[in-house]
Amino acid sequence: MGVCVLLALLATPAQAVEVAPHRALYTLSLESAKPQSRVVGADGSLGYEWGESCDGWTIEQRYKLSLHNEDDPPVEINSSFVTWESKDGLSYRFNERKTQNGQADDEIRGTASLKSAGGPGTAVFEKPKAQNFDLPAGTLFPTAHTLLLIKKGHGGENFLSAEVFDGSTFDGATLISAVLGPTQPLSTPSDSPVSSPLLLRPSWQVRLAFFPDANQEAQPDYELGMRLLANGVSSSMVIDYGDYVIRATLKQIEALPKPAC
């Protein structure tokens, strides 16, 4: 996507996307697995909270997954990922803690900023070690990327390729290729076992492919399919790691208050 096109999309008034701050809980299960993966089962949960303040968005994800293999003990993965992103899409803070089988991995913490919408920027890691690197022009932070996906859906467009920085790795921005299906009508998604006013929105089936090193000719590291609603809620998700696929099924959802600005 050219920078001029990106700037035009980002210039769309924020009111075009009516985000619903919310807290959601998903159950995780094994959708499928290739024989060579040796994965025979999976269970866990994903807690997701999208909050709003007067000047920014907060995202908190708590991920617990137990992977069961043919011969080995289960692998227990726990992750907590908390971010804040300014509403102009120019400033970002991130903090991740992760454990595997009870052993702590390195904590990741840092900040990032862009010089302008569509412009270049800088990422600064504080943990696990001090490290700085440049972000290319056109980089988006995660919430700005989600809002842009929704704007694309409202506009009847079905493709978006963008570099997105979320701070979860030291590899810089990740190229995400997104394909959006046609707009589904204003109704509760058929794949949701939960009934809530938050789900009574138009939606799109979205497929995201995450590519390493901004190389779209390579195989993606993983793919994420989801039903994305016009208010930012995801009613279902499927995470494809190549050798196995994890399904996230919505179990609970509740609205969070909007700020009185």
Side-chain angles (χ1 to χ4, degrees), residues 1 6 9-10 17 48 50 57 85-89 92 114 138-153 159-166 174-180 206-210 224 226 228 232:
M1 172 181 292
L6 179 61
L9 285 166
L10 290 176
V17 177
Y48 182 88
W50 186 342
W57 307 102
E85 183 174 335
S86 62
K87 286 187 174 178
D88 61 10
Y92 182 64
L114 303 176
T139 296
L140 298 174
F141 299 132
T143 297
H145 181 247
T146 299
L147 298 180
L148 188 52
L149 281 172
I150 295 172
K151 291 175 185 177
K152 281 278 193 177
F159 182 74
L160 171 65
S161 181
E163 292 196 74
V164 180
F165 176 79
D166 69 2
T174 297
L175 178 64
I176 302 179
S177 177
V179 177
L180 294 87
V206 180
R207 186 76 176 185
L208 306 174
F210 296 75
L224 171 65
M226 63 178 173
L228 177 63

